[in-house]
């Protein structure tokens, strides 16, 4: 089953964490609402914004940012030219040079996308405090946080790839993405970015014109272009282009997994972290061709007038894409990132990269780990309650084991009871709703990815499980999808709506962020605040459990994974 399609279906199980609607009924565009609480919380205190402050040369011209408490911030720097109009559906090109000094103090446009459904649930919106920004196709922008400029600092560079599958999200969508605190704590350069998503990044028009030969994966080419910008410019921002970490969560983890398999990305990064997004396989070329043909038909275009696709308003493109998906897949299968299902993998459709043989030359981690990134060390992990269904639906806390069996049958068919019984035996004291949230995990793909990486015997992989439960909303969210992000970015206070802003959260955040910082610096996450974290091996399967008390456990769910594998066989 395509992991790309699993991301689409995750929205049914987990409404809103990093998701937007893709159904035919959702024709609104993102950007209708935003939250600036992240910036306000992160930037308490004085700010220096001056024509004479924080000016840096880039390959396209000078940019000016601002400074807060010793960290220089730059936002919305173009790493490629406008991707709208004549730039739509074609590979990114370098931005035109500018004269003078370009102001870079506010986020650039976000890639157009469907309206976020999470806003419809008040508790969901409270937890995540999204900033959806303003949509626009001139969205190929980077944001940079750094302690030093033009100082030869050779700091580790940490490039964040946002979640939302291949269809939604942005580099600013969550308060936790703010890179200031991580930059300060780690003496590191933190980078985030926007790139093309959904149809804009992955509509396969190659059959209609050679001009669009790369349209099936221009969103991935954007990622490569952003990393090339980092290589060419980051030294002026105090970073080391020879020590670049890429890290991402959910869909961002899928992007990291994919880049690890791409020859054209080799040498642009040197370490990688996949958070709740281990991607083994991508979509197939024939499915992308069939989906594109239906979109083109919905737009009443053909080979003779296909160039009109560059001027069709995005709302019309979105409507055509939704209609095409509904026609080709009227009953999308249940599932989520890394979630197994008994349904056939045939006839699954969605907008995301496919193995096209040119841009993406193989599946990321199937049938094995890619040799092209054999020497890139990895951190791979998940959270304990990826599908925390009662997070914003308190009534589900009263779910029974029979209710769990009914839901599990969507995934495991007639063998659902066997799976539920095995999980109940392993966890006799937890509530049924939490049993369900652990059962529908993405850890199976994460373990497979780690095993295949370790089998190369080149660079180490380290596994983690984030198990800390937030106290917010009476603890219902538990260790929910996205919950580790504030801890990685040293932003547990900035994201207090999700963490509670407690001393306990801050203490754990220090441990988690220091692990990521150490890994970025030297490829090893160990530090004095944690117990010894061994590299992963298939024999023992060591996993760092991040919780109130951090500990290492050896393959804590091996027997449960065997039960699930048998149920799916």
């Amino acid at each position: 089953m395509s992991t790309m399609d699993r991301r689409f279906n995750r929205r049914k199980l987990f409404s809103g964490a990093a998701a937007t609607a893709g159904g035919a009924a959702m024709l609104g565009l993102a950007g209708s609402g935003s939250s600036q609480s992240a910036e306000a919380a992160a930037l308490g205190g004085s700010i220096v914004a001056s024509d004479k402050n924080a000016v840096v040369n880039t390959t396209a011209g000078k940019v000016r940012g601002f400074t807060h408490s010793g960290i220089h911030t730059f936002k919305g720097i173009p790493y490629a030219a406008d991707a709208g109009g004549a730039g739509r559906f074609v590979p990114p090109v370098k931005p035109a040079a500018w004269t003078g000094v370009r102001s870079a103090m506010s986020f650039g446009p976000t890639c157009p996308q469907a309206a976020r459904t999470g806003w419809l649930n008040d508790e969901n919106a409270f937890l995540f405090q999204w900033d959806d920004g303003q949509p626009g196709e001139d969205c190929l922008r980077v944001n940079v946080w750094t302690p030093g400029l033009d100082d030869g600092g050779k700091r580790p560079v940490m490039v964040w790839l946002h979640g939302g599958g291949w269809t939604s999200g942005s580099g600013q969508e969550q308060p936790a993405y703010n890179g200031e605190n991580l930059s300060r704590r780690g003496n590191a350069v933190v980078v985030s970015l926007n790139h093309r998503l959904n149809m804009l990044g992955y509509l396969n028009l190659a059959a209609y014109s050679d001009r669009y030969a790369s349209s099936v994966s221009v969103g991935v080419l954007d990622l490569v272009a952003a990393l090339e910008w980092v290589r060419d410019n980051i030294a002026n921002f105090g970073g080391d282009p020879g020590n670049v970490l890429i890290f991402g969560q959910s869909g961002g983890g899928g992007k990291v997994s994919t880049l690890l398999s791409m020859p054209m990305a080799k040498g642009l990064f040197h370490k990688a972290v996949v958070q709740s997004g281990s991607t083994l396989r991508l979509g197939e070329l024939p499915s992308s061709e069939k989906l594109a043909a239906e979109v083109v038909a919905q737009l009443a275009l053909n080979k003779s007038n296909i160039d009109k696709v560059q001027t069709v308003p995005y709302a019309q493109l979105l409507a055509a894409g939704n209609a095409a998906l509904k026609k080709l897949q009227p009953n999308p299968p249940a599932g989520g990132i890394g979630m197994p299902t008994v349904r056939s993998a045939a006839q699954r459709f969605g907008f995301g990269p496919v193995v096209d043989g040119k841009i993406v030359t193989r599946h990321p981690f199937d049938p094995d780990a890619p040799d092209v990134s054999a020497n890139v060390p990895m951190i791979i992990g998940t959270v304990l309650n990826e599908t925390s269904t009662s997070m914003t639906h308190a009534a589900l806390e009263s779910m029974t084991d029979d209710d769990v069996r009914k839901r599990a049958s969507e995934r495991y068919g007639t063998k659902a009871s066997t799976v539920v019984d095995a999980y109940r035996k392993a966890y006799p004291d937890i509530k049924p709703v939490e049993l369900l949230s652990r059962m529908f995990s993405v850890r199976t793909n994460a373990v497979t990815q780690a095993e295949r990486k370790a089998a190369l015997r080149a660079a180490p992989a380290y596994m983690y499980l984030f198990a800390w439960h937030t106290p917010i909303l009476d603890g219902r969210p538990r260790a929910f999808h996205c919950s580790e992000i504030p801890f990685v970015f040293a932003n547990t206070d900035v994201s207090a709506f999700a963490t509670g802003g407690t001393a306990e959260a801050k203490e754990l955040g220090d441990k988690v962020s220091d692990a990521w910082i150490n890994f970025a610096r030297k490829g090893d996450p160990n530090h004095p605040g944690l117990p010894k974290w061994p590299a992963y091996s298939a024999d023992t399967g060591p996993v760092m459990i991040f919780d109130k008390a951090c500990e290492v456990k050896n393959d804590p769910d091996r027997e449960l994974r065997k039960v699930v594998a048998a149920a799916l066989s």
Side-chain angles (χ1 to χ4, degrees):
M1 179 175 70
S2 165
T3 304
M4 169 188 67
D5 295 316
R6 290 179 185 134
R7 283 194 189 87
F8 262 85
N9 300 323
R10 182 176 189 84
R11 295 180 186 127
K12 287 192 172 182
L13 293 173
F14 187 77
S15 166
T20 62
M26 285 301 300
L27 301 183
L29 301 185
S32 58
S34 66
S35 167
Q36 296 300 328
S37 60
E39 209 73 2
L43 299 180
S46 61
I47 293 174
V48 178
S50 165
D51 290 345
K52 300 178 181 179
N53 178 67
V55 177
V56 180
N57 277 308
T58 75
T59 50
K62 293 182 178 181
V63 294
R64 172 172 53 85
F66 65 87
T67 306
H68 174 254
S69 298
I71 299 299
H72 310 291
T73 298
F74 301 81
K75 297 179 179 179
I77 304 173
Y79 66 85
D82 190 340
R88 188 188 273 183
F89 302 125
V90 299
V93 297
K94 292 185 181 299
W98 56 81
T99 58
V101 180
R102 180 182 181 124
S103 182
M105 297 191 292
S106 62
F107 290 117
T110 60
C111 182
Q113 55 199 262
R116 185 186 296 276
T117 57
W119 288 110
L120 303 179
N121 184 295
D122 183 68
E123 290 180 334
N124 214 351
F126 172 82
L127 274 172
F128 288 100
Q129 297 289 312
W130 293 293
D131 177 0
D132 288 332
Q134 294 300 318
E137 291 184 59
D138 188 11
C139 62
L140 306 186
R141 308 295 185 96
V142 292
N143 314 301
V144 182
W145 293 266
T146 178
L149 301 172
D150 290 315
D151 62 356
K154 283 191 171 293
R155 297 170 180 85
V157 182
M158 305 176 73
V159 180
W160 173 251
L161 305 181
H162 68 77
W166 301 99
T167 61
S168 61
S170 74
Q172 70 191 67
E173 66 177 343
Q174 292 189 39
Y177 292 3
N178 188 299
E180 180 179 319
N181 286 333
L182 183 61
S183 176
R184 180 180 296 108
R185 185 170 184 87
N187 189 27
V189 180
V190 179
V191 178
S192 66
L193 58 100
N194 292 338
H195 60 95
R196 281 174 284 185
L197 303 162
N198 52 72
M199 283 179 294
L200 296 176
Y202 306 103
L203 181 63
N204 187 0
L205 299 173
Y208 297 88
S209 170
D210 290 343
R211 182 177 187 178
Y212 307 117
S214 300
S215 61
V216 65
S217 291
V218 290
V220 171
L221 291 179
D222 293 345
L223 299 177
V224 174
L227 290 172
E228 289 174 340
W229 184 93
V230 168
R231 177 197 62 197
D232 297 340
N233 292 279
I234 211 65
N236 291 348
F237 292 84
D240 181 359
N243 187 15
V244 176
L245 164 80
I246 57 173
F247 64 131
Q249 185 268 351
S250 192
K255 296 163 195 175
V256 171
S257 299
T258 301
L259 286 167
L260 283 161
S261 73
M262 292 174 59
M264 68 172 57
K266 184 175 182 178
L268 295 176
F269 61 91
H270 314 91
K271 303 171 183 71
V273 181
V274 177
Q275 302 170 210
S276 298
S278 293
T279 298
L280 308 182
R281 295 181 62 83
L282 296 171
E284 301 291 349
L285 196 59
S287 294
S288 74
E289 292 168 342
K290 190 172 183 179
L291 177 57
E294 186 58 40
V295 171
V296 170
Q298 292 287 335
L299 293 170
L301 299 177
N302 53 50
K303 282 188 176 182
S304 67
N305 63 0
I306 191 62
D307 285 344
K308 290 184 178 179
V309 78
Q310 292 190 317
T311 58
V312 171
Y314 180 75
Q316 189 176 342
L317 275 180
L318 178 64
N322 287 337
L325 286 168
K326 186 175 182 179
K327 182 175 179 179
L328 293 173
Q329 193 165 260
N331 298 300
I337 302 169
M339 294 179 187
T341 176
V342 296
R343 296 188 58 166
S344 170
Q347 296 185 347
R348 294 179 184 274
F349 299 94
F351 295 106
V354 301
V355 179
D356 64 287
K358 297 177 182 179
I359 300 170
V360 181
T361 58
R362 55 158 288 163
H363 289 292
F365 277 80
D366 189 70
D368 52 16
D371 287 330
V372 70
S373 58
N375 293 322
V376 175
M378 295 181 67
I379 293 177
I380 302 166
T382 60
V383 301
L384 183 61
N385 310 104
E386 296 282 1
T387 51
S388 191
T389 53
S390 65
M391 181 173 74
T392 56
H393 301 281
L396 294 178
E397 287 291 314
S398 61
M399 183 182 291
T400 67
D401 277 8
D402 284 342
D403 294 328
V404 173
R405 287 184 175 86
K406 290 177 184 177
R407 294 201 177 211
S409 65
E410 298 174 8
R411 197 85 62 244
Y412 306 114
T414 58
K415 298 179 181 179
S417 287
T418 300
V419 176
V420 174
D421 290 345
Y423 270 82
R424 176 52 73 197
K425 182 179 179 180
Y427 307 113
D429 299 324
I430 65 175
K431 298 177 73 170
V433 69
E434 180 162 1
L435 197 73
L436 181 69
S437 70
R438 295 191 187 190
M439 189 183 310
F440 289 178
S441 174
V442 303
R443 205 174 112 74
T444 297
N445 269 16
V447 171
T448 300
Q449 186 176 48
E451 288 176 345
R452 291 175 179 175
K453 176 66 176 177
L456 292 179
R457 299 184 181 277
Y462 299 86
M463 283 212 77
Y464 74 88
L465 178 66
F466 185 85
W468 185 83
H469 285 193
T470 179
I472 292 295
L473 297 177
D474 302 315
R476 279 187 278 117
R478 298 176 171 84
F480 61 96
H481 190 65
C482 299
S483 62
E484 87 286 5
I485 300 174
F487 295 78
V488 169
F489 276 83
N491 276 339
T492 56
D493 288 345
V494 171
S495 298
F497 296 95
T499 68
T502 64
E504 180 180 288
K506 176 66 166 61
E507 181 180 356
L508 179 57
D510 291 348
K511 295 176 181 179
V512 175
S513 60
D514 283 352
W516 264 239
I517 291 163
N518 272 17
F519 186 72
R521 193 172 299 281
K522 58 184 182 179
D524 184 341
N526 281 283
H527 63 80
L530 290 175
K532 175 65 178 177
W533 188 352
Y536 190 84
S537 70
D539 292 339
T540 57
V543 180
M544 175 63 71
I545 310 295
F546 288 114
D547 205 342
K548 295 176 183 178
C550 298
E551 60 179 330
V552 173
K553 291 185 178 180
N554 287 336
D555 212 346
D557 55 359
R558 177 175 296 193
E559 296 306 314
L560 290 175
R561 296 200 312 275
K562 290 180 180 178
V563 171
V564 169
L568 295 172
S569 62

